[in-house]
Amino acid sequence: MQKRSFTREGVSGGASRVRRRALLGLVVLVALMVLAGALAYFTRGTRTEPNPASHVPSSPTAPAPTVSASASAGPKDGAASLPGPPSTHDPIAYAKAAAVVLWSYDTRSYSQPELVAGLHRWLTPEGSYADADSVDRLVPSPLLWGRMADSGQFATATADEALFPDTFTRALQADPGAIKQAYIYAVTVTGKQSISWNGAPQGGAEDRSSTLAVQCRPDRPCALVGVLPTVSP
């Protein structure tokens, strides 16, 4: 009977194939973790949102116009007018509502700390997943907020489209059961933001986009986990 010979090259090739399969599985898992936030804390990075400082006017002269966007408080309404999270189990619908709130503000109606507190109401109560810092980074600093308030600056926003990023979808298809640990979905929202201030007419709308992580457990309404530092298509 002829004996089969096992060479070093054969063993090495088999080990390489095993390593490649393991690496592929790891890449899929990491993609799901980074985009959905299901098993790990969000990657820190420089946010890509426009800087509100670039819109601070130098010489306000007249009363500000009335806010028209549904997610932004009107003049003199106070912090109580900050919108609360909707009761929904649809991550797409929740992400669109959250994006509008994150892109809107009104320095005439509430303080910077009140806005931060209002946005935190949208976060998941699960402390191991909630990334409040990613939300706070979207809010102007107290010093900048004061300058903006001097000119009565406010912003309104709309969310036109929301979808699951391709990377998240592919990772979920590769491992459908992974979502069941934390039920966190990555959603990319696109829309528009308009910024105005005292003495300035309603300006043209600028395009905005953000990728949000939204938790939607079967037994309770959706909640915001955080905002990814980069937008995922």
Side-chain angles (χ1 to χ4, degrees), residues 55-73:
H55 299 283
V56 177
S58 56
S59 56
T61 58
T66 302
V67 178
S68 59
S70 59
S72 184

Side-chain angles (χ1 to χ4, degrees), residues 15-71:
S16 297
R17 287 192 294 272
V18 171
R19 284 195 296 269
R20 283 196 296 271
R21 287 196 295 268
L23 180 60
L24 178 60
L26 180 61
V27 169
V28 171
L29 179 60
V30 169
L32 183 62
M33 290 167 61
V34 172
L35 286 177
L39 302 176
Y41 199 68
F42 284 107
T43 302
R44 293 291 186 247
T46 303
R47 66 184 178 91
T48 58
E49 305 292 344
N51 187 349
S54 63
H55 299 283
V56 177
S58 56
S59 56
T61 58
T66 302
V67 178
S68 59
S70 59

